[in-house]
Amino acid sequence: MKLVVVSAGLSVPSSTRLLADRLAGAVTRQTSAEVQVVEVRDLAVEIAHNFTNGFPGRKLAAALDAVADADGLIVVTPVFSASYSGLFKSFFDVLDPDALAGKPVLIAATGGSARHSLVLEHALRPLFSYLRAVAVPTGVYAASEDWGAEGLPERVERAAGELAALMTGLSTARPAAPAKDGFEVVPFAEQLAALRPAG
């Protein structure tokens, strides 16, 4: 399986990349996956050219293909003006509109204050819903004070477990729930797997 990590951190080193690496490590501890990291910062010029001429450069095309071919995604953005960064959004603006249909995605963000944590629900989740991706229930936000504090490692592990389960389909191997009032109860993960296009 292939796990692609899209990191939109701008600095080196970057707390955004640090969170992305922690999430990827947690996923690969729970399921076997080849990890590829896309640093959006390195693609900024090619993204701008794609907007003006309609064609991706070599590196951008390879990154877009990697995202489209992935079995699962981890996407992490820094917070700017209470939302995802413009560069992060621009990367997904040049992606084929159907590339993420049915694809499991773990959404995450970093910021200087816990006050921006709702960015996961008011910005990131709607974006990936629009792209018809399947965002895992647990999003991960890391404020400056979260590093080394209680809570963040647990959220990382929980979100990673949800992504790993969707990528591998392990949850569909569980026994089916008993029928209620004559209706079959289909596990949620199985319903999601049925929505994902074949191939």
Side-chain angles (χ1 to χ4, degrees), residues 14 20 25 46 98 117 132 143 146 157 160-161 171-172 185 193-194:
S14 161
E46 291 193 18
D98 297 321
S117 62
R132 293 179 292 137
D146 289 327
E157 291 297 326
S171 55
T172 62
V185 179

Side-chain angles (χ1 to χ4, degrees), residues 79-172:
V79 175
F80 291 117
S81 302
S83 190
Y84 38 65
S85 74
L87 186 57
F88 178 86
K89 177 64 162 53
S90 295
F91 176 79
F92 289 100
D93 283 343
V94 298
L95 184 68
D96 184 284
D98 297 321
L100 299 188
K103 197 179 299 291
V105 177
L106 192 168
I107 58 174
T110 58
S113 166
R115 291 178 299 172
H116 294 302
S117 62
L118 286 176
V119 69
L120 297 173
E121 303 305 324
H122 76 68
L124 283 166
R125 201 172 294 280
L127 170 63
F128 289 96
S129 176
Y130 175 78
L131 293 171
R132 293 179 292 137
V134 180
V136 302
T138 302
V140 179
Y141 178 81
S144 299
E145 62 265 26
D146 289 327
W147 299 101
E150 292 183 7
L152 180 59
E154 290 78 8
R155 293 197 305 275
V156 165
E157 291 297 326
R158 183 168 63 246
E162 292 167 356
L163 181 62
L166 284 177
M167 288 176 64
T168 61
L170 289 178
S171 55
T172 62

